[in-house]
């Protein structure tokens, strides 16, 4: 296996003749794992902030009605 060009394409020599299969597996690396967890945490923080903002508006509107 070798990298073919500056774009990082992979070349794999496959001998001619009988049928063969080629299995490529891209497993999770540490940067991918960390990136996934950062994405999940960011999404949760974003959702909490939106809910907090909406709740604050509802409470403010209720106080305006009472006052």
């Amino acid at each position: 296996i070798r990298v073919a060009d500056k774009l990082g394409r992979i070349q794999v020599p496959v001998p001619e003749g009988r049928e063969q299969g080629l299995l490529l597996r891209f497993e999770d690396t540490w940067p991918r794992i960390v990136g996934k967890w950062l994405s999940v945490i960011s999404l949760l923080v974003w959702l909490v902030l939106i809910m907090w903002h909406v709740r604050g508006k509802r409470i403010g509107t209720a106080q305006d009605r009472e006052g």
Side-chain angles (χ1 to χ4, degrees):
I1 298 175
R2 68 181 183 96
V3 178
D5 56 17
K6 65 181 181 179
L7 295 176
R9 295 180 219 172
I10 301 171
Q11 286 185 345
V12 180
V14 179
E16 293 183 30
R18 60 176 204 234
E19 290 185 29
Q20 295 181 359
L22 180 64
L23 173 65
L24 296 176
R25 182 173 42 200
F26 293 98
E27 297 178 352
D28 281 340
T29 59
W30 280 109
R32 286 184 184 200
I33 293 169
V34 170
K36 285 179 187 179
W37 280 108
L38 285 175
S39 295
V40 168
I41 291 169
S42 299
L43 179 62
L44 291 175
V45 167
W46 182 75
L47 289 173
V48 167
L49 288 175
I50 286 177
M51 290 184 339
W52 187 32
H53 179 72
V54 169
R55 183 173 180 230
K57 281 192 166 201
R58 286 184 185 168
I59 292 172
T61 305
Q63 289 176 351
D64 289 344
R65 289 181 191 160
E66 291 175 0

